[in-house]
Amino acid sequence: MIFVDACFGKPTPYTPVWMMRQAGRYLPEYMKVRAQAGDFLSLCKNPAKACEVTLQPVDILGVDAAILFSDILVVPLEMGMKLQFLKGEGPVFSEPIKNQQDLDKLSVEKAVEGLEYVYETIKLIRGKLAADKALIGFCGAPWTLATYMIEGQGTKTYALVKKLIYSNPQFMHALLKKVTEVLKLYMERQIQSGANVVMIFDSWASALEESAYFEFSWSYMKEISSYLKAKFPDVPVILFPKGISGYLDKIDGDFDVFGVDWSTPMELAKEKLGDKYILQGNMEPTRLYNKDAIDEGIEHIVNVMKNERHIFNLGHGILPDIPVEHAKYFIKQVQKLTKK
Ligand code: CP3
């Protein structure tokens, strides 16, 4: 698989490319299947339909890897929390975690077993996906998941979760530890079911100052990654901490690919991390609104990375109103311009 080879720095005929959120609302084919499934969570829990939408961007755009269709928030859901996706508001946990009693009610074992529909989806996808295309499994970082579990929903200030960090760090660590236990077993089961690569999304990384970031987030991401690398050395691990360009000097750990978000200059990521890790990223996702902007974005990244130790991607998820034709153009251009 060219994607897996690239994750290990082996030679590839061109730089492989995929897009975060590549299975999603910008595709009319996705909207059709989602309408059949009912709502978003029902789609996540329906292996046949989740498999179908996972494969759509591979067929329509020709990306080099499929990413499992699911969501990072199915983990707290199956640990026992009540989750809804409300129109216009995004995900909401109606009973967020407030204290040790709430935390005690959540179960590691129940979550790992309750996520069976994800393992089932992976098995179906791996059975249908072309042998030369990689399947990426994923989870959210403990910090990003814990933020949702404490705040109940997306937040601008992170007031509740940060209050906890500075006034009751022991409790915050207890929560992070429990989520980390689930994620280790969850990712292990994803790999055993057929995922060829795994990625951890730390979408709220930029909310924390440097010392807090390494204590409350990066240490747990590293713990999951070390656990997986010890058991599955042939399965690449990608870590994606969003918005921490100021902290790159302190990034370390046993993983293979560092996901660079769009706000981090690729030059800087290459200088600080390019020798240690393969870099993935990082075209500004809104460049997809305009073809000239796409060309300019690709050209810049190619000039910096020079087709070496690199996987092409956007620097965050594709937006729902991007024309499909532009997404296709991006993928084709990368595959053409990086040919060796
Ligand atoms: O194609 C893929 O990338 C695979 C599937 C995937 C989804 N969510 C599907 C989804 C992945 C990898 C995720 C990860 C995810 N989910 C993250 C981390 C990545 C990031 O974007 O930072 C986060 C923070 C979430 C939580 C989440 N899920 C939010 C905030 C939302 C609503 C936001 C929005 O765009 O409306 C979701 C819903 C969601 N997850 C959708 C999809 C396709 C849209 C749901 C729909 O069909 O209406």
Side-chain angles (χ1 to χ4, degrees):
M1 288 177 202
I2 141 165
F3 186 86
V4 172
D5 286 346
C7 290
F8 288 129
K10 294 183 187 162
T12 54
Y14 58 88
T15 302
V17 54
W18 67 287
M19 293 185 300
M20 286 187 261
R21 290 279 170 99
Q22 65 187 16
R25 287 167 295 187
Y26 71 102
L27 288 175
E29 292 86 348
Y30 167 82
M31 294 310 289
K32 199 170 150 203
V33 180
R34 198 187 72 177
Q36 292 164 357
D39 54 19
F40 173 68
L41 271 180
S42 310
L43 179 53
C44 293
K45 291 181 185 179
N46 182 329
K49 297 240 180 284
C51 169
E52 188 180 343
V53 295
T54 299
L55 297 173
Q56 284 173 349
V58 181
D59 297 335
I60 298 167
L61 311 176
V63 289
D64 294 291
I67 180 160
L68 162 73
F69 185 83
S70 183
D71 197 83
I72 60 169
L73 299 179
V74 294
V75 167
L77 169 71
E78 298 303 341
M79 287 177 84
M81 293 187 72
K82 291 198 181 96
L83 171 64
Q84 279 183 298
F85 281 84
L86 302 177
K87 257 215 167 82
E89 275 182 63
V92 177
F93 290 103
S94 54
E95 293 168 26
I97 306 295
K98 292 198 172 63
N99 49 42
Q100 187 67 43
Q101 236 179 344
D102 295 339
L103 179 58
D104 289 342
K105 284 190 211 142
L106 303 183
S107 161
V108 173
E109 294 73 27
K110 205 175 132 249
V112 177
E113 293 316 313
L115 288 158
E116 184 61 41
Y117 51 84
V118 174
Y119 318 136
E120 204 49 49
T121 303
I122 291 176
K123 287 177 199 160
L124 289 180
I125 301 166
R126 203 47 277 180
K128 290 195 172 169
L129 185 62
D132 62 339
K133 306 264 184 188
L135 172 58
I136 305 168
F138 70 89
C139 67
W143 158 250
T144 290
L145 294 182
T147 299
Y148 273 109
M149 293 163 81
I150 299 280
E151 299 277 349
Q153 56 196 325
T155 161
K156 285 207 173 81
T157 61
Y158 302 87
L160 291 174
V161 69
K162 289 200 192 184
K163 186 172 169 190
L164 209 54
I165 277 191
Y166 295 109
S167 48
N168 193 352
Q170 298 85 345
F171 178 67
M172 191 63 199
H173 279 301
L175 170 57
L176 289 163
K177 236 173 137 170
K178 197 161 191 173
V179 174
T180 299
E181 281 319 301
V182 177
L183 295 177
K184 283 185 194 168
L185 301 170
Y186 179 47
M187 297 316 271
E188 182 171 1
R189 292 285 293 272
Q190 288 195 21
I191 292 169
Q192 287 165 341
S193 304
N196 309 104
V197 179
V198 290
M199 173 155 166
I200 307 181
F201 289 87
D202 199 3
S203 305
W204 306 147
S206 66
L208 294 174
E209 62 173 321
E210 189 176 58
S211 58
Y213 184 68
F214 286 92
E215 178 179 348
F216 292 93
S217 185
W218 191 249
S219 58
Y220 292 97
M221 306 238 306
K222 278 203 303 191
E223 185 180 331
I224 299 167
S225 168
S226 303
Y227 175 83
L228 296 173
K229 289 309 301 182
K231 288 203 164 191
F232 309 100
D234 298 336
V235 175
V237 175
I238 308 174
L239 301 186
F240 177 63
K242 188 174 174 291
I244 55 149
S245 59
Y247 310 161
L248 299 183
D249 281 328
K250 294 223 170 72
I251 291 296
D252 67 343
D254 188 7
F255 65 97
D256 305 285
V257 181
F258 183 85
V260 184
D261 75 279
W262 61 266
S263 72
T264 302
M266 211 59 183
E267 293 87 335
L268 181 72
K270 188 180 177 187
E271 179 200 325
K272 304 279 184 194
L273 298 170
D275 294 335
K276 282 199 278 186
Y277 303 107
I278 303 300
L279 300 181
Q280 173 175 276
N282 78 340
M283 196 177 84
E284 207 324 337
T286 55
R287 281 188 178 272
L288 289 177
Y289 284 120
N290 181 281
K291 283 192 176 174
D292 291 336
I294 296 174
D295 284 337
E296 203 180 74
I298 296 175
E299 189 188 332
H300 174 73
I301 295 171
V302 170
N303 281 340
V304 175
M305 295 309 297
K306 305 198 164 37
N307 292 334
E308 271 172 28
R309 299 177 61 75
H310 182 220
I311 290 162
F312 238 105
N313 201 321
L314 304 176
H316 201 200
I318 183 171
L319 295 169
D321 62 343
I322 295 294
V324 179
E325 190 215 331
H326 290 191
K328 270 189 199 166
Y329 180 76
F330 167 64
I331 302 298
K332 292 283 168 291
Q333 284 296 91
V334 169
Q335 291 169 339
K336 188 172 106 191
L337 296 173
T338 63
K339 225 179 211 122
K340 288 171 192 165

